Amino acid sequence: MIKKLLKEGFILKTKGYYKHAIEAFYKALEIDNSSPELLLEIADVYYLMKEEEHALNYIEQVLEQNPAHIGSLKLLKKIFIDKKAYAQAEQTAKNIYCISKKAKDLAEILELLNKQKRFQEVFDYKINDMSSEILYELAYAKLFTGENPEELINKAIEEKPENPKYLILKGKILFKQNRKSECSKLLEMIPYNNSDADYLNFAGLVKQHEKDYKTALRYFLEAARVSPDSAEYYYNCASTYFKADELKLAKKYYNIAISLEPENPNYHFALANLYYSQKHYKRALEELNLDLFEARLLKAIILYDTGYLAIAKKELDALVKEGYNNEIIKEYLQKIESELT
């Protein structure tokens, strides 16, 4: 009888009839209320119904019986990730790996470290089995630690050449290396996926580089729809509107990005640059974070444009003294020198 109910519940679950599946599993629970597999099935159905508190209750019951029950630990990790409780998810992933010792489970620990931007810690693990998943996570971490991740992602792609996730990361690496012309060909290799924000964002960057701003905006706006909490996609919308000279919309999307990541100095600098282009100098200066070289340079240019030549020279001289001496600095120092003599 219990086997029949379990089979019925499982079939109903796979078809998406979650409430009916729960009913079947509860009937089975009346016969055996201690089966960990049955308790996990109920937890999983509640998870699929987005009733995570109920799911947690049944997971706890399984783990009370068997703290090393991998299926329950994996579902618990999913719930923590959904809640963005990445530290708890990381600890659960470590527990899973201690039991399984599988490369796939180690890759999930590395992924959670990357999600928390603890990139250097990714390299603290001794790794014997360099699976494509681990190669991907190592490459991702290197992208943000100033090292060249191209060899690692190329190895991952050699193992699984059709994996779009790997190809998208390769595209991000090429963009960071300013090899943008190579990305158009790479984009053609990736299947269109309107539910993958990473893909949509990469496609948008390619189209923005090609100056196809209308298509780029379609991709970025779709990425923001899929992942509305990601400031990057709104920022890319804004930068595209700015390039297309639609400054009102650019301002709107820069502000959305800043509202999501208020401490990001690059977003504030971009908005300051927009204000500067409109000659709203006071508002531009208010947005500048002077920890950035670009912000300090823009401040000096604004001082020059508003007639404060001596102060602008002082700012530019300070940058030169610190080792900055690009063509823009040279140009403005020459302008100031010619006007002051």
Side-chain angles (χ1 to χ4, degrees):
M1 180 65 176
I2 191 168
K3 287 183 179 179
K4 183 180 177 183
L5 289 167
L6 284 169
K7 184 178 179 182
E8 180 187 342
F10 185 76
I11 291 169
L12 289 165
K13 185 182 83 166
T14 56
K15 290 183 176 180
Y17 301 128
Y18 301 135
K19 288 183 179 179
H20 296 297
I22 284 284
E23 289 173 8
F25 288 137
Y26 271 138
K27 285 176 184 176
L29 202 61
E30 290 173 4
I31 301 168
D32 181 358
N33 63 3
S34 63
S35 165
E37 299 312 317
L38 174 55
L39 293 169
L40 178 58
E41 284 293 343
I42 294 172
D44 192 44
V45 175
Y46 275 127
Y47 173 74
L48 293 169
M49 293 169 69
K50 303 190 185 302
E51 294 186 27
E52 291 181 344
E53 292 307 314
H54 285 306
L56 286 167
N57 176 43
Y58 284 94
I59 290 170
E60 285 172 11
Q61 291 182 48
V62 177
L63 294 176
E64 281 174 10
Q65 292 182 45
N66 179 7
H69 193 281
I70 285 186
S72 296
L73 288 169
K74 287 192 172 184
L75 183 55
L76 181 61
K77 177 171 61 68
K78 278 185 188 178
I79 292 171
F80 284 142
I81 291 171
D82 288 348
K83 292 176 177 286
K84 292 186 168 53
Y86 295 129
Q88 291 165 289
E90 178 197 340
Q91 186 54 57
T92 308
K94 287 177 178 176
N95 294 342
I96 293 167
Y97 179 61
C98 283
I99 300 163
S100 75
K101 300 298 182 186
K102 290 182 179 178
K104 184 177 180 181
D105 293 322
L106 175 56
E108 292 190 0
I109 298 173
L110 304 184
E111 180 182 5
L112 285 160
L113 288 170
N114 280 331
K115 281 182 183 291
Q116 296 172 83
K117 300 184 179 180
R118 289 158 53 198
F119 304 117
Q120 202 58 53
E121 292 179 50
V122 167
F123 305 104
D124 292 343
Y125 282 83
K126 184 180 178 182
I127 301 169
N128 298 317
D129 180 4
M130 281 289 184
S131 66
S132 63
E133 293 92 346
I134 287 175
L135 287 165
Y136 171 87
E137 297 302 337
L138 291 171
Y140 188 94
K142 279 198 172 188
L143 181 63
F144 294 96
T145 54
E147 300 175 71
N148 188 346
E150 193 169 3
E151 183 180 349
L152 289 168
I153 197 60
N154 283 343
K155 285 181 180 176
I157 291 169
E158 280 175 23
E159 281 193 35
K160 293 186 178 177
E162 303 303 318
N163 190 316
K165 184 178 174 181
Y166 300 170
L167 296 171
I168 291 165
L169 182 58
K170 174 72 178 280
K172 288 181 181 179
I173 292 165
L174 293 175
F175 256 88
K176 193 164 186 179
Q177 294 174 346
N178 207 28
R179 293 158 61 189
K180 297 175 183 176
S181 58
E182 297 176 47
C183 293
S184 298
K185 188 175 181 181
L186 185 63
L187 181 61
E188 292 174 4
M189 298 167 62
I190 307 171
Y192 176 80
N193 186 347
N194 67 356
S195 63
D196 183 345
D198 247 4
Y199 163 78
L200 294 163
N201 186 57
F202 173 60
L205 289 170
V206 171
K207 294 303 175 184
Q208 187 193 72
H209 173 68
E210 294 172 351
K211 294 184 170 55
D212 183 356
Y213 299 134
K214 185 176 179 181
T215 305
L217 281 165
R218 179 168 59 81
Y219 280 123
F220 291 139
L221 289 167
E222 191 69 7
R225 180 194 64 78
V226 173
S227 185
D229 295 331
S230 176
E232 179 185 0
Y233 307 144
Y234 296 102
Y235 171 79
N236 287 338
C237 283
S239 66
T240 308
Y241 279 124
F242 186 70
K243 289 174 187 289
D245 204 30
E246 295 188 49
L247 300 188
K248 187 175 179 180
L249 285 166
K251 192 184 303 180
K252 171 186 172 181
Y253 282 93
Y254 279 137
N255 276 299
I256 294 173
I258 289 168
S259 72
L260 290 167
E261 280 188 33
E263 302 303 317
N264 191 316
N266 295 309
Y267 296 172
H268 287 281
F269 174 75
L271 182 56
N273 196 45
L274 184 152
Y275 284 133
Y276 171 72
S277 73
Q278 296 179 309
K279 298 186 178 180
H280 295 162
Y281 300 130
K282 184 173 183 293
R283 296 192 73 175
L285 289 169
E286 288 170 352
E287 291 291 337
L288 292 177
N289 180 329
L290 298 178
D291 290 335
L292 281 183
F293 159 72
E294 294 86 355
R296 292 171 64 191
L297 178 56
L298 182 56
K299 179 187 175 184
I301 292 170
I302 291 171
L303 288 167
Y304 171 82
D305 286 356
T306 51
Y308 295 97
L309 303 186
I311 304 174
K313 184 177 186 305
K314 184 180 177 181
E315 295 282 344
L316 293 167
D317 284 340
L319 289 173
V320 172
K321 192 174 180 181
E322 291 172 31
Y324 302 106
N325 197 14
N326 63 21
E327 292 304 314
I328 297 174
I329 292 174
K330 289 177 184 176
E331 176 190 343
Y332 275 90
L333 281 171
Q334 286 171 2
K335 285 181 179 180
I336 291 167
E337 187 178 345
S338 67
E339 290 186 40
L340 290 177
T341 53

